[in-house]
DNA sequence: CCTCCAAACGCAAAGAATTTGCTTTTAGCG
DNA sequence: CGCTAAAAGCAAATTCTTTGCGTTTGGAGG
């Protein structure tokens, strides 16, 4: 029913409609309150009929989650500072800042609100890839670097947890978390 | 608009309606798929008109979030094992298990999906209270115990992060997290 | 190049949910 | 014992969602 993701074939009609709908949704989210955005509105903006959207996405949450996951995909490689700890710190600080914004928070919530669990998984995997890349670079330089799970649980988890349930962490606290994940037992086993 | 929480006055008509609606929502959630539950359905089950619910809660998400926060409120004090680390471990394991269930995950998502940020805050504060209680008991015994923030970021955050974005953590990993939060800098006076 | 096919879209009617104006009930108060 | 403000009921109007059916489209095979 859902058929999220890149679409069936690149270049087909299906892909064009999906692109138009995504763009329309992004535009509307940018210029009006999230609660006022409806499927008929997006359809009108995209130049398609509502039933097309209902058939492809099923409900507003699925569509918005789809759009949010797309926007959450990292668009650049993590900056290189010369050592793994600096790379991770820079990445974590930028990540925390982006996600702490009003728009960032809304996108995360949209992703979580969708039915199928694939959206959150994809977001997690995006972060995983970025961290793995930093870890690889560190390993190539012969540095010790914490395991992927340690970084996920020790840095990413607190950042997202605080954004969702409490108050977003500031850069100072993010720095502490990065420091802490480098302390103690370093498991370099994970590539 | 929302008027979540305990209700205006205990015993009034308002409180009775709220209780009836909450119960109806819980019953329906228990016996049918979450996606099929609608406000008119809940209204019928509760014996009120839909417009009452619309006026009080605004939309389905708000109502379900309200119900979920209620159910997420801890109903007992953390078990006493004799020392803080054991208390925290027992609490964390039980928390992780409860939240990892299908029902637990749905409740968390409901809480997060609501508009106002008060639901997630309240859930966080429930956990805070439980942890603070464990910490107080430890302090009363003269034990060292990690700071509240350290526990939130080091134990609670990974548990919830994995449930929401990845795969729920097993008891073994939860135990590791508890161990780790007791390592390193303890910001409470030494034992 | 042409024809055929399945997938996807548009249209419009039917069905369901949401909003809203107005009336009625109720609990608390003087 | 009335009075009043808040909350609920009722019903009409509006908006969203679903669905059946005909049309278009892009691609595969001849």
């Amino acid at each position: 029913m859902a058929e999220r993701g890149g679409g069936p074939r690149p270049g087909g009609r299906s892909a064009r409609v999906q692109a138009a709908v995504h763009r329309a949704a992004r535009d509307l989210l940018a210029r009006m309150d999230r609660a006022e955005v409806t499927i008929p509105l997006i359809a009108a903006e995209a130049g398609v009929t509502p039933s097309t959207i209902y058939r492809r996405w099923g409900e507003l949450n699925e569509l918005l989650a789809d759009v949010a996951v797309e926007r959450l995909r990292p668009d650049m490689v993590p900056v290189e500072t010369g050592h793994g700890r600096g790379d991770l710190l820079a990445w974590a600080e930028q990540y925390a800042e982006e996600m702490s914004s009003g728009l960032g928070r809304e996108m995360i919530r949209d992703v979580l609100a969708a039915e199928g669990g694939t959206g959150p998984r994809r977001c997690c995997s995006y972060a995983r890839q970025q961290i793995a890349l930093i870890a690889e670079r560190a390993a190539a330089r012969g540095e010790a670097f914490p395991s992927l799970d340690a970084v996920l649980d020790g840095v990413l988890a607190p950042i997202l947890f605080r954004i969702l349930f409490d108050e977003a962490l500031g850069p100072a606290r993010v720095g502490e978390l990065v420091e802490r994940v480098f302390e103690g037992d370093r498991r370099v086993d994970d590539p």
Side-chain angles (χ1 to χ4, degrees), chain A:
Chain A
M1 179 193 279
E3 187 150 357
R4 312 177 200 78
R9 257 166 275 258
R13 175 175 53 159
S14 209
R16 280 200 307 277
V17 168
Q18 164 156 355
V21 170
H22 272 223
R23 183 161 5 92
R26 275 199 312 274
D27 288 357
L28 289 177
L29 284 175
R31 71 164 172 277
M32 65 193 337
D33 200 48
R34 194 200 164 290
E36 325 246 307
V37 176
T38 65
I39 286 188
L41 254 180
I42 297 173
E45 174 85 9
V48 301
T49 60
S51 64
T52 294
I53 296 183
Y54 283 115
R55 279 201 246 255
R56 267 180 81 123
W57 282 279
E59 57 169 329
L60 185 59
N61 270 346
E62 296 293 324
L63 170 54
L64 293 186
D66 204 15
V67 172
V69 170
E70 202 76 10
R71 303 182 75 173
L72 252 24
R73 178 159 54 193
D75 51 350
M76 26 178 242
V77 300
V79 293
E80 295 212 41
T81 66
H83 55 293
R85 187 181 303 206
D87 286 5
L88 183 59
L89 179 61
W91 176 83
E93 280 179 346
Q94 189 193 331
Y95 191 88
E97 191 193 323
E98 282 181 17
M99 296 306 180
S100 301
S101 72
L103 186 61
R105 279 193 72 246
E106 279 194 346
M107 289 194 296
I108 300 175
R109 292 192 343 172
D110 284 342
V111 169
L112 289 175
E115 281 304 317
T118 91
R121 295 281 177 91
R122 270 199 282 168
C123 289
C124 186
S125 119
Y126 291 157
R128 264 205 173 90
Q129 285 166 24
Q130 298 283 89
I131 296 168
L133 204 138
I134 293 174
E136 275 173 36
R137 295 196 309 216
R141 284 189 297 253
E143 302 171 19
F145 198 86
S147 74
L148 198 42
D149 278 337
V151 176
L152 287 183
D153 288 334
V155 178
L156 189 60
I159 290 174
L160 289 172
F161 166 74
R162 297 286 188 164
I163 290 174
L164 289 172
F165 289 93
D166 195 39
E167 202 77 52
L169 298 175
R173 178 67 179 147
V174 172
E176 285 176 28
L177 294 173
V178 170
E179 284 303 309
R180 183 141 174 75
V181 86
F182 270 90
E183 288 170 14
D185 54 351
R186 314 181 177 182
R187 308 163 212 172
V188 210
D189 46 324
D190 223 344

